[in-house]
Amino acid sequence: LVEEAKADVSPVDRWGGTPLDDALRHKHSEIVQYLLSHGATRGTGRQEATVADLCDAAANGDMDMLRRLVRSANANDGDYDRRTPLHLAA
C-alpha cells in the first residue's frame, strides 16, 4: 500500500495512534523498521520511544526492537514500578 498506492504511513486514528504505534504495541519488528524507513511517526505527539516500549521489548526478549528503541529512549528510566528494561530482561 505504501509503495504502490502511496498510502500515508502515519494516519492518525480516533485514539491518536498511528500504524507505527500499532506495530510497536504488537511487536512487529519488521513492520516497525519498514515504517520508520518510510518516515513514519508516532501518534499524539509521541515521536520517541517510551520506557514502556523498552520495557515491553525487554520483557519479551526482542533484541531487534530493543536496539531500535534505545536510540530514542533512556534505558535507565523505569516504568510505573521503577523497573528498568534491564530488570525486565533478567
Side-chain angles (χ1 to χ4, degrees):
L1 289 171
V2 172
E3 293 171 19
E4 292 180 26
K6 306 295 183 221
D8 180 3
V9 293
S10 298
V12 178
D13 64 21
R14 67 181 174 161
W15 296 280
T18 66
L20 181 57
D21 294 318
D22 291 340
L24 284 164
R25 184 174 52 257
H26 295 292
K27 298 160 185 54
H28 295 156
S29 298
E30 291 179 17
I31 300 300
V32 169
Q33 183 176 356
Y34 178 83
L35 290 170
L36 288 172
S37 75
H38 285 82
T41 59
R42 307 283 311 261
T44 59
R46 290 182 61 197
Q47 296 303 314
E48 298 188 359
T50 65
V51 70
D53 297 326
L54 278 174
C55 287
D56 285 345
N60 290 308
D62 190 341
M63 292 304 299
D64 289 334
M65 185 68 75
L66 271 171
R67 285 184 184 101
R68 277 192 276 288
L69 295 174
V70 77
R71 295 178 194 148
S72 63
N74 186 345
N76 294 310
D77 286 343
D79 64 7
Y80 59 92
D81 283 329
R82 296 190 323 204
R83 295 176 56 83
T84 67
L86 186 57
H87 283 110
L88 296 167

